[in-house]
Amino acid sequence: MGIIKEIHNLYLRKEITVREVVEKYLKVIEKWEPHVHAFITINLDYIEREIKRVESLKFSEDLILYGIPVAIKDNILTKDLLTTCASKILANFIPPYDAEVVKKLKEKGAIIIGKTNLDEFAMGSSTENSAFGPTKNPWDLERVPGGSSGGSAVVVATGESPLSLGSDTGGSIRQPASFTGVLGLKPTYGLVSRYGLVAFASSLDQIGPFARKVEDLAIILQAIAGYDPKDSTSSPYSPPNYLDSLGKKVKGWKIGIPKEMWGKGVEKSVLEVLDSALEVLKDLGVELIEISLPTVEYALPTYYLIATSEASSNLARYDGIHYGYRNRDQKDLISLYKVSRGEGFGNEVKRRIILGTYALSAGYYDAYYLKAAKVRTLIRQDFESAFKKVDLIVSPTSPIPPFKLGEKITDPLQMYLTDILTIPVNLAGIPAISIPAGFKDNLPIGLQFIGPFFSEDKLLQISYAFQKLMDFSEKYPSMERI
């Protein structure tokens, strides 16, 4: 049984109150936060108002998230609650409205318990690029939790919150899920509204959930999925009932193993753990078929041209005039722009803005951005061809286990390579999920399932079957190791 249903049943039997549930999680937060720094904002006055709001709702079984705490990545807008994007330039920004996903969670009775740490503007793979300091991996405090949704992954791993939301532009949900031993789902582009998500790269960004149990992941996805007229990229697709797919057999499914995602660059320790995971898939009766995705090797440079180009455009709005941080000592407009942006943005954000501006500049657009857009189409076509032969694709989520804090922060290319197995999914716009598949030296290793457009039900179905045989949802990091 998932955590949501456990709490829901306690409410049904009137054995616990909303306040008691929230206080239980606040005690875990109090215990872990001095060590992991997964939250940017815990506002007790806001939480108190949230408790009273939920208590005023008439409890019913339809309010499936009634009294369930959910942590929100700090690049998703929350009315009357700080939304900083882990950046100095937005350090004091309090949104006047909720993002669509937050609105939907509240309508289902969820309580927003806090805002989680991230790489500044979701740019990074380790949650070290936060203006408020890094988040640490609870399995080894000398290591990173992955990024950019490292805070959202850690709060679920430690038990500070049963659920959380993150955003995934190139693997920012799946890679930290893999590094911290929890489930992370990147939905099909357009399935979940991006209204109220602070844009990094608009054609790649997607909001998705973290959980410990597949059942919980299905419930929260059900709550946030669906068409939103306020998001011009939102799909009119009607989501099925994701809980209906759980428990159904997967025997006879064909699952592709792309040779390009299992060979060069994947560490031996990762492959050793995932060998056991592939045996579990065979036990479930699926047929593993070697396939090829020849354009995947071009995904990394393609991604960094497209993502940085869109970032340079999206972040132009933070100019010290419209909103955000402003240096007030400047005497002319150009100096105000330069100094405010120079002081407000961190190094990684500035690096990406410069790269993207260069790629879009006159004389270089055709050579870089346009060519990258064409390669992106080829990558998508590669996946479409593969899904004519197989139901799903499987790969490691990350080519390496969690690395040490500071190990890659001065070498951006090495940092970018940690997302090499997740980035192709965002370029294609398709869904994928990371599920814990084992541990090596007490560090979690994740397995990634990739599906065709709007195949979230199948991804949840295979993950549920897999978790039945290989379940790490009750395994928590220990405070004794600190």
Side-chain angles (χ1 to χ4, degrees), residues 128-263:
E128 292 174 287
N129 299 309
S130 166
F132 302 95
T135 295
K136 297 178 181 177
N137 193 317
W139 295 98
D140 181 346
L141 296 180
E142 293 184 359
R143 294 179 186 271
V144 304
S148 63
S149 306
S152 291
V154 167
V155 298
V156 175
T158 54
E160 293 173 89
S161 178
L163 302 168
S164 65
L165 289 185
S167 66
D168 193 316
T169 306
S172 290
I173 289 174
R174 290 158 287 153
Q175 189 246 33
S178 173
F179 278 12
T180 59
V182 299
L183 291 152
L185 173 67
K186 182 263 172 200
T188 302
Y189 185 79
L191 177 67
V192 175
S193 172
R194 293 185 302 110
Y195 180 75
L197 170 67
V198 179
F200 159 19
S202 306
S203 74
L204 300 162
D205 298 336
Q206 186 61 81
I207 295 172
F210 290 91
R212 303 187 72 87
K213 287 278 193 181
V214 176
E215 185 179 351
D216 292 335
L217 206 63
I219 291 172
I220 189 169
L221 178 65
Q222 196 78 53
I224 62 174
Y227 176 65
D228 176 15
K230 297 189 290 299
D231 176 1
S232 62
T233 60
S234 179
S235 170
Y237 172 81
S238 296
N241 186 332
Y242 293 118
L243 286 171
D244 287 348
S245 63
L246 308 187
K248 291 182 179 176
K249 291 184 178 178
V250 296
K251 187 177 180 180
W253 283 17
K254 293 179 180 176
I255 296 188
I257 300 183
K259 58 184 180 183
E260 294 84 0
M261 300 173 83
W262 285 87

Side-chain angles (χ1 to χ4, degrees), residues 400-417:
I400 58 173
F403 51 91
K404 290 201 170 181
L405 287 154
E407 184 179 329
K408 300 181 188 295
I409 196 75
T410 58
D411 189 341
L413 185 58
Q414 286 299 313
M415 184 75 83
Y416 297 163
L417 284 168

